[in-house]
């Protein structure tokens, strides 16, 4: 059963050399990053692939990106 929420979720993704290395300020290996993104996506009608595609479309190599996940949409803020 999928839960749907009425409020957005936010992800702050830290990038190193074009790869996501941290989620909300905590560093993880690749598997950990994927699991954390999947967890936050639950209930927002968004997939991990949606988030990763948005990160790649922004074409940022280093630094951080904050994404808002809500009602099937991934938006950079």
């Amino acid at each position: 059963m999928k839960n749907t929420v009425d409020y957005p979720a936010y992800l702050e993704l830290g990038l190193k050399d074009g790869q996501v290395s941290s989620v909300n300020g905590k560093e993880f290996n690749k598997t950990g990053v994927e699991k954390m993104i999947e967890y936050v996506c639950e209930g927002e009608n968004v997939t991990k692939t949606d988030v990763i595609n948005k990160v790649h479309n922004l074409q940022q190599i280093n630094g951080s990106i904050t994404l808002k996940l809500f009602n099937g949409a991934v938006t950079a803020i």
Side-chain angles (χ1 to χ4, degrees), residues 29-73:
N29 63 21
K30 184 178 179 181
T31 302
V33 164
E34 291 175 358
K35 288 188 181 294
M36 285 302 300
I37 291 172
E38 287 172 351
Y39 177 76
V40 175
C41 287
E42 287 181 15
E44 298 297 343
N45 198 23
V46 174
T47 67
K48 173 186 73 176
T49 303
D50 296 332
V51 171
I52 299 300
N53 287 342
K54 183 61 147 184
V55 169
H56 288 291
N57 289 340
L58 294 172
Q59 298 180 346
Q60 187 169 333
I61 303 297
N62 293 306
S64 66
I65 296 172
T66 301
L67 300 176
K68 176 181 167 184
L69 286 55
F70 185 63
N71 200 23

